Amino acid sequence: MPMSRPVARLCAPLKSFTQAASVGVALLGMLALLGWFLDAELLKSLIPGRVAMNPATAFAFVLAGGSLWLLRAEPMHPSRRCLGAACAFLVALLGLLKLGDYLAGWDLGLDQLLFRSQLGDNRIAPNTALNFLLIGSALLLVDVRTRRGVWPAQALALVAALVALIGLVGHTYGIRSLYGIASYIPMALNTAVGFALLCAGVLCARPDRGLMAVLTSETTGGFMARRLLPAAVIVPVGLGWLRLVGEQAGLYDMAFGVAILTASNILTFAILVLFTTSALNRTDAERRRIEAEVRRLNGELEKRVAQRTAELAEANRDLAQKNQENELFVYSVSHDLRSPLVNLEGFSQELGAVCQDLRAILADSDLPPAVRQRGLALLDQDMAESIHFIQTAVKRLSGIIDALLRLSRAGRVEYQRQRVDIRLLVGRIIESMRLTIDQRGATVHVGDLPPAWGDPTALEQVFANLISNALNYLDPERPGLIEVGSAAPEHGGADGLQTYYVRDNGLGIPEEYQHKVFQAFQRVHPRAAPGEGMGLTIVRRIVERHQGKIWVASRPGEGSTFFVALPAAARNGRPMDGSQVEGSLPEERRPTSWSVSR
């Protein structure tokens, strides 16, 4: 889960602290080793006269600091992770073996390998060995999480931090029993400091996990933890040290010191609670102010959305009304034109019959030959040609009116939507066109065609028109080839839509005309086939009413590919399962492809 911006802002400096802590721990160990090499008490123990850090302890701190540096950030290279884990393993192994020395009575002498002649009775302390085992294990498990959501590395680091804190308090107060166990050598001061840095570095390495996520969160609990936790550590230690110094200086006795310490703790934590409460109140007031502002903005937004929705609904109603009016107008005009057109066709036939009668009269009359020949010429040439033009125009207008009626019906017919088996639908269309396919000497290949969701009759009209156009506009100079299949997603498929294509190797469409082919009465090759230029307009209307898309890709002289994207499922999003498909056959009887050739 991505962190919010306030959390990221808090985590960045903590991760930087981990880097600094790893360097500090390694430097602390190297200074101790240099102190043993130079026999400098200040470098070995920080304070002359105190217990010196064992050389093996110093070397382990160098390894631990290197391990923390390598494992401090994610992601990391596998080789870096392996090297960091190897260093952590050596640190944990040293602690485990030294604890074995104390618990099982071993004497492996691991803490006497370096500077043996100068060590005397200096050894790794039991609490130091325990902390190396804890810290080494924590570094090994820094990215491990249990099934219950616990990060073991943090728990191990907290235990080690408690041991280090007790050692630091013991050195601060001068109480040996706090940083030493029984008669064994105690933990050195610089050793306690090194463990404190290591524990803090391990915890800060992953500040967005486990217990550290509470400290870095933007919640009220995180805010309180960041305010109170440092004081909970620093204030009691400071007050206890002041009490001890006062008692040692003879300013007051032990009872008075305890009373002063108790009162000081109460006062200090009361101040902290009041300060934190005041900060929380300010934060809560700011939160309420922001919530009120958000509610106000949400209310305004809802009003704007409602207003915009009402405007869009009104615009849709106006558009639907205009579309309906346009469709009714087209239907009315087409219907009204039909009557005079029928009259024109009837009168042209009457004129033809009259011409036949006049021809018979002129042939049998006693008119002069020149007059007879002139009359017959007028009937056979001028009148016949005029009547032919009238009848041709009537047929042309009749076709246009029929196309307009089909276009108006395409917008008014109520579709009966269902799952449609496109494979069987295309198969029926090809079978009905077999004679035309044979006459054109064409080959038709049909590939895999998944089902679609729509009106079976309307979709049959779509594919019939596209396949018919492909046949009509084949190039007579080469064998015709038509392919019907489903397109890959890169050809324009969209979520919820299944894309099909009808491809031919015909005459093709020039690029400047491709955007016009779906417009009414637009024909690119008018001499190639009869028609009014309304077929693709009707197809586009049907596809758009199915919430689909249609487009063309073509090159002159190479052919055209018409793509049709149709819904693959109902509007409620139910996936196509292939069952109860219109016109479906049992699976074993469904052909995967057709190949129709001359």
Side-chain angles (χ1 to χ4, degrees):
M1 181 181 296
M3 294 181 292
S4 60
R5 293 183 61 184
V7 175
R9 176 179 57 82
L10 291 171
C11 289
L14 294 180
K15 291 183 178 181
S16 298
F17 173 80
T18 296
Q19 182 176 347
S22 64
V23 175
V25 168
L27 184 61
L28 192 66
M30 288 187 286
L31 288 176
L33 289 174
L34 182 63
W36 283 101
F37 180 77
L38 300 177
D39 196 18
E41 291 294 327
L42 181 63
L43 297 179
K44 291 190 289 185
S45 59
L46 292 183
I47 298 176
R50 295 292 183 94
V51 180
M53 181 188 295
N54 185 274
T57 300
F59 182 71
F61 274 135
V62 173
L63 290 177
S67 176
L68 183 59
W69 171 273
L70 293 170
L71 302 174
R72 71 186 187 281
E74 293 181 300
M76 66 186 75
H77 194 274
S79 60
R80 180 176 173 177
R81 183 182 295 275
C82 290
L83 183 58
C87 293
F89 175 76
L90 292 177
V91 171
L93 181 63
L94 175 63
L96 179 63
L97 292 176
K98 189 57 187 176
L99 282 178
D101 277 357
Y102 287 114
L103 297 177
W106 302 340
D107 189 13
L108 299 177
L110 295 175
D111 50 358
Q112 304 174 49
L113 296 177
L114 300 174
F115 304 101
R116 181 185 294 269
S117 60
Q118 303 176 38
L119 290 178
D121 59 353
N122 188 290
R123 300 291 185 272
I124 295 178
N127 44 359
T128 300
L130 174 63
N131 263 19
F132 275 136
L133 177 60
L134 294 173
I135 286 294
S137 301
L139 290 170
L140 284 172
L141 303 174
V142 68
D143 292 316
V144 175
R145 181 184 183 184
T146 66
R147 293 182 178 179
R148 295 185 177 182
V150 176
W151 298 88
Q154 294 185 356
L156 295 172
L158 286 174
V159 175
L162 178 62
V163 175
L165 179 62
I166 293 174
L168 286 173
V169 171
H171 279 285
T172 301
Y173 291 178
I175 303 176
R176 188 183 186 281
S177 59
L178 292 179
Y179 58 90
I181 297 177
S183 61
Y184 298 109
I185 187 171
M187 178 186 292
L189 174 61
N190 46 358
T191 300
V193 172
F195 280 129
L197 284 175
L198 270 177
C199 295
V202 171
L203 292 172
C204 294
R206 305 293 186 267
D208 56 339
R209 300 176 181 174
L211 295 175
M212 290 299 295
V214 176
L215 289 175
T216 58
S217 69
E218 55 185 346
T219 61
T220 304
F223 178 81
M224 292 186 63
R226 290 191 295 272
R227 296 279 178 168
L228 297 178
L229 191 59
V233 175
I234 296 173
V235 171
V237 173
L239 292 177
W241 180 78
L242 290 175
R243 173 210 163 183
L244 185 62
V245 170
E247 288 183 5
Q248 292 175 347
L251 298 177
Y252 43 78
D253 57 16
M254 185 178 66
F256 185 80
V258 171
I260 290 294
L261 177 62
T262 303
S264 300
N265 280 329
I266 293 173
L267 178 63
T268 301
F269 280 101
I271 294 173
L272 286 173
V273 169
L274 291 175
F275 176 76
T276 303
T277 302
S278 176
L280 288 176
N281 287 337
R282 290 194 300 270
T283 303
D284 189 60
E286 181 66 15
R287 178 182 58 81
R288 291 181 180 180
R289 185 190 66 79
I290 293 175
E291 288 179 352
E293 183 68 15
V294 169
R295 281 195 295 268
R296 183 184 66 81
L297 293 175
N298 284 339
E300 293 181 359
L301 180 60
E302 290 175 358
K303 291 180 181 179
R304 291 180 183 178
V305 170
Q307 181 180 0
R308 184 59 177 164
T309 302
E311 293 174 356
L312 290 175
E314 182 64 25
N316 287 334
R317 284 193 295 269
D318 292 343
L319 182 60
Q321 183 178 358
K322 291 178 180 178
N323 286 338
Q324 185 177 9
E325 291 174 356
N326 290 336
E327 291 169 359
L328 291 175
F329 175 76
V330 170
Y331 180 79
S332 176
V333 169
S334 302
H335 185 271
D336 292 342
L337 286 176
R338 179 71 67 186
S339 179
L341 200 61
V342 170
N343 291 334
L344 282 175
E345 185 176 10
F347 290 145
S348 66
Q349 293 174 357
E350 288 290 334
L351 284 175
V354 170
C355 289
Q356 294 293 335
D357 294 340
L358 287 175
R359 186 179 293 106
I361 293 172
L362 289 174
D364 297 337
S365 67
D366 296 331
L367 293 175
V371 176
R372 183 187 303 110
Q373 292 298 326
R374 176 60 178 165
L376 290 174
L378 289 174
L379 289 174
D380 294 337
Q381 296 178 9
D382 296 343
M383 286 296 294
E385 185 177 4
S386 298
I387 292 172
H388 173 72
F389 285 151
I390 292 174
Q391 291 177 343
T392 302
V394 167
K395 290 181 179 178
R396 172 67 174 162
L397 286 174
S398 179
I400 293 174
I401 291 172
D402 289 339
L404 288 172
L405 287 173
R406 290 196 302 271
L407 181 61
S408 67
R409 294 191 190 104
R412 292 185 292 109
V413 173
E414 184 177 352
Y415 290 155
Q416 302 297 322
R417 302 177 190 271
Q418 56 186 277
R419 292 180 178 85
V420 181
D421 192 326
I422 303 298
R423 292 184 297 179
L424 294 182
L425 182 145
V426 171
R428 290 197 299 266
I429 294 172
I430 293 174
E431 288 298 325
S432 68
M433 296 182 179
R434 183 180 294 275
L435 180 60
T436 305
I437 294 172
D438 293 340
Q439 290 175 348
R440 296 296 179 95
T443 300
V444 181
H445 292 298
V446 181
D448 183 39
L449 297 173
W453 186 269
D455 182 84
T457 304
L459 296 186
E460 185 168 354
Q461 187 175 359
V462 168
F463 285 96
N465 193 293
L466 295 178
I467 297 172
S468 177
N469 278 359
L471 285 170
N472 289 335
Y473 296 103
L474 289 174
D475 190 340
E477 301 298 326
R478 61 175 180 270
L481 177 62
I482 298 173
E483 300 178 41
V484 185
S486 56
E490 59 266 25
H491 289 107
D495 292 342
L497 296 179
Q498 174 61 52
T499 304
Y500 309 90
Y501 65 85
V502 177
R503 180 181 294 122
D504 64 69
N505 64 338
L507 299 174
I509 305 171
E511 185 176 357
E512 61 270 21
Y513 291 105
Q514 291 179 14
H515 69 284
K516 298 181 179 180
V517 296
F518 298 105
Q519 299 176 6
F521 307 115
Q522 297 291 330
R523 303 187 66 205
V524 181
H525 305 288
R527 297 182 181 179
E532 300 82 26
M534 291 292 290
L536 290 177
T537 305
I538 296 173
V539 167
R540 185 188 67 176
R541 188 67 179 274
I542 293 173
V543 172
E544 289 177 348
R545 285 197 62 192
H546 281 78
Q547 289 81 46
K549 298 186 298 182
I550 183 169
W551 67 100
V552 64
S554 181
R555 288 187 179 180
E558 297 183 11
S560 304
T561 303
F562 283 85
F563 296 94
V564 179
L566 296 170
R571 213 177 253 183
N572 59 10
R574 282 189 300 151
M576 297 292 291
D577 56 10
S579 62
Q580 298 179 353
V581 179
E582 186 273 333
S584 61
L585 292 174
E587 189 65 32
E588 65 273 8
R589 294 179 57 192
R590 291 187 184 180
T592 58
S593 66
W594 285 270
S595 179
V596 181
S597 60
R598 53 180 173 172

